[in-house]
């Protein structure tokens, strides 16, 4: 039953006030309203025409938009033809079935003057959605049938109501309901309004498993993608009910049991029941575990003469007597396929043949390698690239047309293309049958992604305080694989501007060249207790030219030349006295670093790289040996040597293990320095700490000078200051270092992965050492004060080495004198016993050189990377288990707003 309200044109837009009068009843009622006229009107139309007759006249009344002839075309009635009651009934049904008319009736059956009276279905003026928040209008309108300027029908309304409800069910909202309403307008037009009540998202309240005896419910639920709704899974999307996921979980259960030896396992039923409040689901699985099987005889037979089945069987990972594992069988099939692919057989069929012994509970398997022909690459097809030139992709493919097929080279080509970073993840090279059985077509169907990056960020770092960063990078410039980058960084302790360009294939040859231009302004800092103080400033301006060539598939040789101009300064207001660097304030190690100098260096690197991805590797290894020689002109001479290595391995289920290690040594080619400091200047040394050595503060490991002032206790005794805010901590760097890390990246659920969370646990060991002890800053004199031997302040002396004092005149002014007491007289005599005030150059302090030890420092910790909406963020919680005197451990560190 449909209740409608006719409104004038001037009031047609006042829909909210009219909706209450235009409600379509529930779906069952609406369904009966469609067919009611056909069953009620037809008998009335044929009254007193039991025998029928001949149609004398035939006309259609009531049409507005539709021509009468068009209406008649839907019936079998024609003027001059005979008619019966059945024919008139069928005509009415046919007109209703056309979906053009809301009402149909026939009169004149008794006289033969047939009049068909119709009322046309209205035209839809607008389709309005109300109440939808979780699904936007564009998501719904493209799924429903009703559209403006189309003919309105109740069947279409019912279908659209069901479709909208289905859309919400796919979102996990099973309590959603849709109330359709219609507002009549003039000119036989209507507005259709769908009032939507979305309801709460239906969660999985409970998962029950019946029939399991070997494994408890918790262990089986852990195998499923669907999870029970709990407060600690607020970020997970797997707690909502999904019918498709229900079938997937059944398959996951079966896979789990098959890997544990239960070959007869099956899920006999899986039922999802909606709770009475329609908010949650309770899922119940009934399973039959069956007996546990072991592997019986495991054999291989091959129809290819190049392979000996007995020899292949000896290399298989599964052995007789092991518990049956379906995953191991699948892996064995893949390994045998890859083995045959290495010898050029691209389309080898490896079929496992099972022989189940239900009495002995064994599963014997024969891996049958079918006959295949050695195949050759017919062509390499590259599709999907709209920006990237073909040659950029093709040069990464290790196989060319006419080459013998090799599955290893296909996998290597796939890894190299993925490492470019120009295309979507999980790219694969498909193998397709060529024009003949011994030909294969390699199809590289890529899906490009954005390779340009514009990063504008502001943040806060525990290392550099406030940070402002602007970087622009195009990793696939002009689609040629070239990299162009520019960056500006500003923080409290560092400022830089850098420009770089890299051409990976110069003149289409496998030679990479690049150039970098930079200006870096860095303020080194030490700690005065917990307060950081700027020590020396270094401004470096220069450039570097790079080139690299491959020696083999995995071995590369890279060379470089760099020229930089370094200006090293100290704050004159803090560290200078009378225009000179004061070693008592700065230390000889800082004063010796001052000056401007050119560094002209040439270097090379020998790199072995078999990583499956340069962006985020999960398998493979990388080893790099590099040396840089400074002294090709310039003012600095040294040889710096570094060795780095990394190995990655996927452990399955999303776990990624990695081991990285590095070490370096710098050897001076200059003579001994007159001031007694190390020949390697402070700004050329290695440093170790955060962020590379987590668990320690920045530059928190290695040689350093701690300067602790003396103070007096309550009894007037001289003791060392214990307040860390009064202790100066200057990191000096080292000549040699080593650092190793073992890390395990942990998998997370799909919801956390969508947020960009990547947690890991790790352990690190390392050290920084090899520095010559700097000269002592001062030797404080000793004296007796209150009967105790103490260190005395260091006095200011004259050219003859005599201490200088100040004598106060009668007018309050002071004059310098060498008299410790009394009035300075003529000829340098001192008259009197009243003590004068000494001019103090420095109060006594204890200076210790610590941390110069190759003994290992060890930390363990947990960290997480997060690609947050306001920039990449890294948080680490690391505990230093083994330290050396002088080290600066730090438990929590974080970076945000800058790359890490």
């Amino acid at each position: 039953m449909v209740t409608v309200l006719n409104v004038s044109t001037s009031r047609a837009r006042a829909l909210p006030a009219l909706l209450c009068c235009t409600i379509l009843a529930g779906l069952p009622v609406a369904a009966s309203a469609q067919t009611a006229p056909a069953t009620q009107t037809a008998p009335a139309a044929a009254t007193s025409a039991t025998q029928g007759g001949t149609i004398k006249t035939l006309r259609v009344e009531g049409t507005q938009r539709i021509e009468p002839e068009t209406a008649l075309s839907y019936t079998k009635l024609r003027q001059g033809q005979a008619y019966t009651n059945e024919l008139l009934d069928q005509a009415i049904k046919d007109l209703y079935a056309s979906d053009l008319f809301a009402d149909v009736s026939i009169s004149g059956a008794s006289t033969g003057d047939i009049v068909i009276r119709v009322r046309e279905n209205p035209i839809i003026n607008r389709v309005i959605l109300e109440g939808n928040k979780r699904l936007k209008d564009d998501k719904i309108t493209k799924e429903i049938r009703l559209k403006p300027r189309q003919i309105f029908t109740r069947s279409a309304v019912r279908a659209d109501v069901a479709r909208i409800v289905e859309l919400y069910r796919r979102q996990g909202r099973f309590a959603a309901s849709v109330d359709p309403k219609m507002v009549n307008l003039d000119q036989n037009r209507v507005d259709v309004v769908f009032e939507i009540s979305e309801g709460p998202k239906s969660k999985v309240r409970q998962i029950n498993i019946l029939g399991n005896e070997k494994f408890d419910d918790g262990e089986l639920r852990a195998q499923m993608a669907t999870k029970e709704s709990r407060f600690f899974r607020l970020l997970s999307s797997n707690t909502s009910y999904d019918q498709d996921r229900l079938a997937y979980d059944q398959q996951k259960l079966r896979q789990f049991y098959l890997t544990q030896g239960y070959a007869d396992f099956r899920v006999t039923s899986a039922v999802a029941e909606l709770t009475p409040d329609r908010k949650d689901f309770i899922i119940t699985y009934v399973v039959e575990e069956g007996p546990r099987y072991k592997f019986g005889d495991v054999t291989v037979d091959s129809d290819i003469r190049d392979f000996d089945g007995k020899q292949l069987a000896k290399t298989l990972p599964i052995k007789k007597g092991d518990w049956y594992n379906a995953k191991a069988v699948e892996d064995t099939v893949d390994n045998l396929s890859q083995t045959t692919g290495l010898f050029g057989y691209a389309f080898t069929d490896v079929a496992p043949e099972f022989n189940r012994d239900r009495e002995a509970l064994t599963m014997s398997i024969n891996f049958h390698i079918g006959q295949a022909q050695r195949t050759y690459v017919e062509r390499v097809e590259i599709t999907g690239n709209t920006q990237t030139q073909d040659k950029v992709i093709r040069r990464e493919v290790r196989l060319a047309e006419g080459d013998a097929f090799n599955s290893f080279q296909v996998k290597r080509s796939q890894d190299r293309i993925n490492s470019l970073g120009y295309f979507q993840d999980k790219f694969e090279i498909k193998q397709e049958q060529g024009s003949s059985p011994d030909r294969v077509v390699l199809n590289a169907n890529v899906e490009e992604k954005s390779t340009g990056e514009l990063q504008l960020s502001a943040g806060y770092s525990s290392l550099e305080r406030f940070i402002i960063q602007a970087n622009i990078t195009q990793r696939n410039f002009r689609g040629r694989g070239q990299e162009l980058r520019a960056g500006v960084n500003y923080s409290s302790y560092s400022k830089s501007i850098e420009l770089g360009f890299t051409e990976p294939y110069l003149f289409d040859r496998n030679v990479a060249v690049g150039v970098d231009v930079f200006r870096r302004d860095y303020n080194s800092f030490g700690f005065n207790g917990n307060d950081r103080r700027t020590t020396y400033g270094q401004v470096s301006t220069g450039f570097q030219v790079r080139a690299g060539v491959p020696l083999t598939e995995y071995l590369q040789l890279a060379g470089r030349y760099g020229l930089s101009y370094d200006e090293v300064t100290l704050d004159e207001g803090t560290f200078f006295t009378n225009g000179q660097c004061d070693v008592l304030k700065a230390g000889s190690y800082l004063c010796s670093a001052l000056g401007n100098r050119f560094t002209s260096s040439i270097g090379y690197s020998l790199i072995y790289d078999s990583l499956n991805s340069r962006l985020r590797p999960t398998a493979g290894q990388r080893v790099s040996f590099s040396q840089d020689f400074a002294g090709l002109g310039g003012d600095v001479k040294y040889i710096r040597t570094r060795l780095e290595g990394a190995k990655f391995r996927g452990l399955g289920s999303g776990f990624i293990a990695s081991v990285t290690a590095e070490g370096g040594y710098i050897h001076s080619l200059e003579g001994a320095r007159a001031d007694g400091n190390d020949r390697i200047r402070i700004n050329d040394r290695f440093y170790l700490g955060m962020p590379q050595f987590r668990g320690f503060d920045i530059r928190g490991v290695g040689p350093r000078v701690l300067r602790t002032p003396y103070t007096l206790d309550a009894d007037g005794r001289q003791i060392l200051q214990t307040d860390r805010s009064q202790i100066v901590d200057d990191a000096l760097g080292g000549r040699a270092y080593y650092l190793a890390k073992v890390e395990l990246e942990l998998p997370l659920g799909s919801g956390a992965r969508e947020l960009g969370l990547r947690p890991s646990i790790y352990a690190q060991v390392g050290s920084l050492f090899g520095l010559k002890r700097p000269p002592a800053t001062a030797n404080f004199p000793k004296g007796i004060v209150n009967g105790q031997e103490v260190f005395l302040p260091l006095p200011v002396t004259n050219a003859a080495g005599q201490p200088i004092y100040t004598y106060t005149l009668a007018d309050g002014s002071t004059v310098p004198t060498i008299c410790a007491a009394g009035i300075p007289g003529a000829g340098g005599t001192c008259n009197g016993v009243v003590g004068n005030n000494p001019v103090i150059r420095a109060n006594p302090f204890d200076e210790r050189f610590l941390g110069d030890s190759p003994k290992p420092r060890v930390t363990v910790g947990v960290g997480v990377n997060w690609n947050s909406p306001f920039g990449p963020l890294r948080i680490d919680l690391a505990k230093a288990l083994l330290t050396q005197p002088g080290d600066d451990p730090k438990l929590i560190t974080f970076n945000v707003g800058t790359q890490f």
Side-chain angles (χ1 to χ4, degrees), residues 806-876:
T806 57
Y807 173 73
T808 304
L809 301 176
D811 60 0
S813 61
T814 60
V815 295
T817 178
I818 60 173
C819 295
I823 303 172
T829 60
C830 299
N831 303 316
V833 295
V834 178
N836 295 321
N837 294 322
V839 179
I840 298 174
R841 185 181 177 191
N843 288 313
F845 57 80
D846 175 67
E847 186 178 71
R848 289 181 291 167
F849 177 66
L850 301 173
D852 187 25
S853 170
K855 293 182 179 180
R857 284 79 160 172
V858 178
T859 64
V860 296
V862 58
V864 60
N865 288 326
W866 179 29
N867 293 328
S868 68
F870 44 87
L873 178 138
R874 169 87 192 191
I875 300 177
D876 282 283

Side-chain angles (χ1 to χ4, degrees), residues 189-365:
R189 294 175 303 129
V190 294
D191 283 341
V192 180
V193 181
F194 291 105
E195 289 190 350
I196 301 171
S197 175
E198 295 181 318
K201 198 167 187 177
S202 302
K203 300 290 185 178
V204 176
R205 180 181 300 178
Q206 188 174 342
I207 299 176
N208 300 319
I209 304 174
L210 305 178
N212 54 311
E213 299 178 357
K214 305 299 181 181
F215 302 98
D216 60 33
D217 290 4
E219 190 171 0
L220 295 181
R221 282 194 290 260
Q223 308 300 320
M224 302 178 186
T226 305
K227 304 297 179 183
E228 293 179 329
S229 177
R230 298 293 184 266
F231 73 91
F232 54 83
R233 295 195 179 111
L234 293 177
L235 298 178
S236 176
S237 61
N238 291 340
T239 57
S240 59
Y241 173 74
D242 188 326
Q243 188 173 359
D244 294 335
R245 197 185 297 141
L246 187 69
Y248 175 74
D249 286 337
Q250 295 180 59
Q251 184 63 26
K252 292 286 290 182
L253 280 176
R254 176 168 172 75
Q255 290 176 355
F256 172 72
Y257 270 94
L258 289 178
T259 60
Q260 302 300 316
Y262 295 90
D264 295 334
F265 172 84
R266 66 191 186 100
V267 179
T268 58
S269 70
V271 178
E273 297 177 293
L274 190 62
T275 56
D277 58 8
R278 303 182 64 84
K279 292 183 178 180
D280 296 320
F281 275 88
I282 297 177
I283 301 175
T284 303
Y285 295 96
V286 180
V287 302
E288 289 183 5
E289 294 179 321
R292 194 178 188 188
Y293 288 78
K294 289 186 176 182
F295 281 114
D297 294 327
V298 180
T299 58
V300 178
D301 71 85
S302 174
D303 293 339
I304 303 175
R305 291 181 299 174
D306 291 346
F307 300 103
D308 185 343
K310 293 182 179 180
Q311 293 299 323
L312 286 175
K314 294 178 181 179
T315 65
L316 299 184
I318 55 179
K319 304 296 181 183
K320 182 177 182 179
D322 294 343
W323 289 112
Y324 173 74
N325 187 328
K327 181 64 167 56
V329 175
E330 293 178 6
D331 293 342
T332 301
V333 171
D334 292 340
N335 291 337
L336 289 174
S337 298
Q338 291 177 8
T339 301
T340 58
L342 292 176
F343 291 88
Y345 297 93
F347 302 106
T348 306
D349 180 24
V350 180
E353 300 170 348
F354 298 90
N355 184 13
R356 187 187 319 233
D357 189 335
R358 299 184 184 277
E359 294 182 0
L361 295 180
T362 60
M363 183 78 72
S364 298
I365 302 178

Side-chain angles (χ1 to χ4, degrees), residues 624-640:
S624 171
F625 176 80
S626 61
Q627 285 188 310
D628 290 277
F629 167 71
L632 197 68
D635 306 310
V636 180
K637 296 179 175 61
Y638 61 75
I639 294 179
R640 177 186 285 117

Side-chain angles (χ1 to χ4, degrees), residues 22-309:
T22 59
I23 299 175
L24 293 174
L27 296 180
V29 178
S32 63
Q34 174 88 13
T35 58
T39 57
Q40 297 174 4
T41 308
T47 303
S48 72
T50 58
Q51 300 300 324
T54 301
I55 300 176
K56 299 177 182 179
T57 61
L58 178 65
R59 69 178 187 273
V60 178
E61 296 180 354
T63 57
Q64 296 178 356
R65 299 182 313 275
I66 302 171
E67 294 294 332
E69 291 78 7
T70 302
L72 284 175
S73 68
Y74 286 96
T75 72
K76 297 179 180 179
L77 301 179
R78 297 294 183 268
Q79 186 173 346
Q81 293 182 355
Y83 68 92
T84 63
N85 291 346
E86 290 78 8
L87 190 62
L88 296 178
D89 288 344
Q90 186 60 44
I92 292 176
K93 294 178 181 179
D94 291 340
L95 289 173
Y96 274 118
S98 69
D99 281 339
L100 297 176
F101 307 104
D103 189 29
V104 180
S105 64
I106 296 179
S107 63
S110 61
T111 63
D113 297 318
I114 304 299
V115 178
I116 303 175
R117 293 183 177 86
V118 298
R119 181 165 56 86
E120 294 179 355
N121 273 326
I123 294 294
I124 298 173
N125 180 55
R126 288 187 300 171
V127 177
I128 302 171
L129 303 173
E130 294 184 352
N132 56 308
K133 297 179 181 179
R134 301 296 179 179
L135 285 178
K136 300 302 181 184
D137 286 5
D138 59 338
K139 298 292 186 182
I140 299 177
T141 53
K142 69 180 181 181
E143 297 288 342
I144 60 180
R145 293 170 52 189
L146 295 180
K147 298 289 188 294
R149 295 184 297 278
Q150 289 185 352
I151 296 175
F152 171 86
T153 65
R154 289 176 174 82
S155 60
V157 171
R158 291 196 298 271
D160 284 349
V161 167
R163 182 58 180 161
I164 295 172
V165 170
E166 177 62 24
L167 290 176
Y168 275 98
R169 287 187 174 184
R170 291 186 180 183
Q171 296 287 325
R173 299 182 182 276
F174 284 79
S177 61
V178 180
D179 188 9
K181 296 182 179 181
M182 181 181 72
V183 178
N184 279 344
L185 307 175
D186 56 2
Q187 299 179 359
N188 199 24
R189 294 175 303 129
V190 294
D191 283 341
V192 180
V193 181
F194 291 105
E195 289 190 350
I196 301 171
S197 175
E198 295 181 318
K201 198 167 187 177
S202 302
K203 300 290 185 178
V204 176
R205 180 181 300 178
Q206 188 174 342
I207 299 176
N208 300 319
I209 304 174
L210 305 178
N212 54 311
E213 299 178 357
K214 305 299 181 181
F215 302 98
D216 60 33
D217 290 4
E219 190 171 0
L220 295 181
R221 282 194 290 260
Q223 308 300 320
M224 302 178 186
T226 305
K227 304 297 179 183
E228 293 179 329
S229 177
R230 298 293 184 266
F231 73 91
F232 54 83
R233 295 195 179 111
L234 293 177
L235 298 178
S236 176
S237 61
N238 291 340
T239 57
S240 59
Y241 173 74
D242 188 326
Q243 188 173 359
D244 294 335
R245 197 185 297 141
L246 187 69
Y248 175 74
D249 286 337
Q250 295 180 59
Q251 184 63 26
K252 292 286 290 182
L253 280 176
R254 176 168 172 75
Q255 290 176 355
F256 172 72
Y257 270 94
L258 289 178
T259 60
Q260 302 300 316
Y262 295 90
D264 295 334
F265 172 84
R266 66 191 186 100
V267 179
T268 58
S269 70
V271 178
E273 297 177 293
L274 190 62
T275 56
D277 58 8
R278 303 182 64 84
K279 292 183 178 180
D280 296 320
F281 275 88
I282 297 177
I283 301 175
T284 303
Y285 295 96
V286 180
V287 302
E288 289 183 5
E289 294 179 321
R292 194 178 188 188
Y293 288 78
K294 289 186 176 182
F295 281 114
D297 294 327
V298 180
T299 58
V300 178
D301 71 85
S302 174
D303 293 339
I304 303 175
R305 291 181 299 174
D306 291 346
F307 300 103
D308 185 343

Side-chain angles (χ1 to χ4, degrees), residues 663-879:
Y665 180 76
I666 183 169
H667 175 70
S668 175
L669 301 178
E670 301 179 22
R673 297 171 61 179
D675 57 14
N677 281 283
D678 197 281
R679 290 182 291 173
I680 300 296
R681 291 175 174 82
I682 194 170
N683 57 304
D684 293 326
R685 300 168 189 162
F686 295 115
Y687 289 89
L688 199 59
M690 275 298 293
Q692 69 269 41
F693 201 169
R694 301 161 190 165
F696 292 96
D697 210 336
I698 185 169
R699 299 190 173 191
V701 175
R704 60 208 324 105
V705 168
L706 291 182
R707 187 182 297 178
T708 308
Y710 284 98
T711 186
L712 298 177
D713 64 7
D715 298 327
R717 293 175 299 182
Q718 190 178 53
I719 60 173
L720 287 173
Q721 178 67 259
T722 57
D723 184 2
R724 281 195 57 84
S725 65
Q726 303 300 316
I727 300 175
V728 175
D729 182 353
D730 283 332
L732 305 184
R735 284 190 175 206
Y737 83 101
Y738 64 86
L739 179 65
K741 178 179 67 174
V742 178
E743 188 166 14
L744 180 64
E745 186 173 317
L746 308 175
L748 291 178
S750 59
R753 285 198 304 270
E754 291 172 1
L755 292 175
L757 293 174
R758 292 189 290 115
S760 63
I761 56 175
Y762 53 83
Q764 289 187 275
V765 58
S767 185
L768 178 69
F769 55 94
L771 190 67
K772 181 180 178 180
R773 177 186 290 271
T777 300
N779 293 314
F780 292 95
K782 292 183 178 181
I784 303 299
V785 176
N786 297 329
Q788 299 179 5
E789 184 179 56
V790 297
F791 288 100
L792 301 176
L794 190 66
V796 176
T797 60
N798 58 17
Q802 297 171 307
I804 298 177
Y805 301 84
T806 57
Y807 173 73
T808 304
L809 301 176
D811 60 0
S813 61
T814 60
V815 295
T817 178
I818 60 173
C819 295
I823 303 172
T829 60
C830 299
N831 303 316
V833 295
V834 178
N836 295 321
N837 294 322
V839 179
I840 298 174
R841 185 181 177 191
N843 288 313
F845 57 80
D846 175 67
E847 186 178 71
R848 289 181 291 167
F849 177 66
L850 301 173
D852 187 25
S853 170
K855 293 182 179 180
R857 284 79 160 172
V858 178
T859 64
V860 296
V862 58
V864 60
N865 288 326
W866 179 29
N867 293 328
S868 68
F870 44 87
L873 178 138
R874 169 87 192 191
I875 300 177
D876 282 283
L877 177 65
K879 173 67 175 177

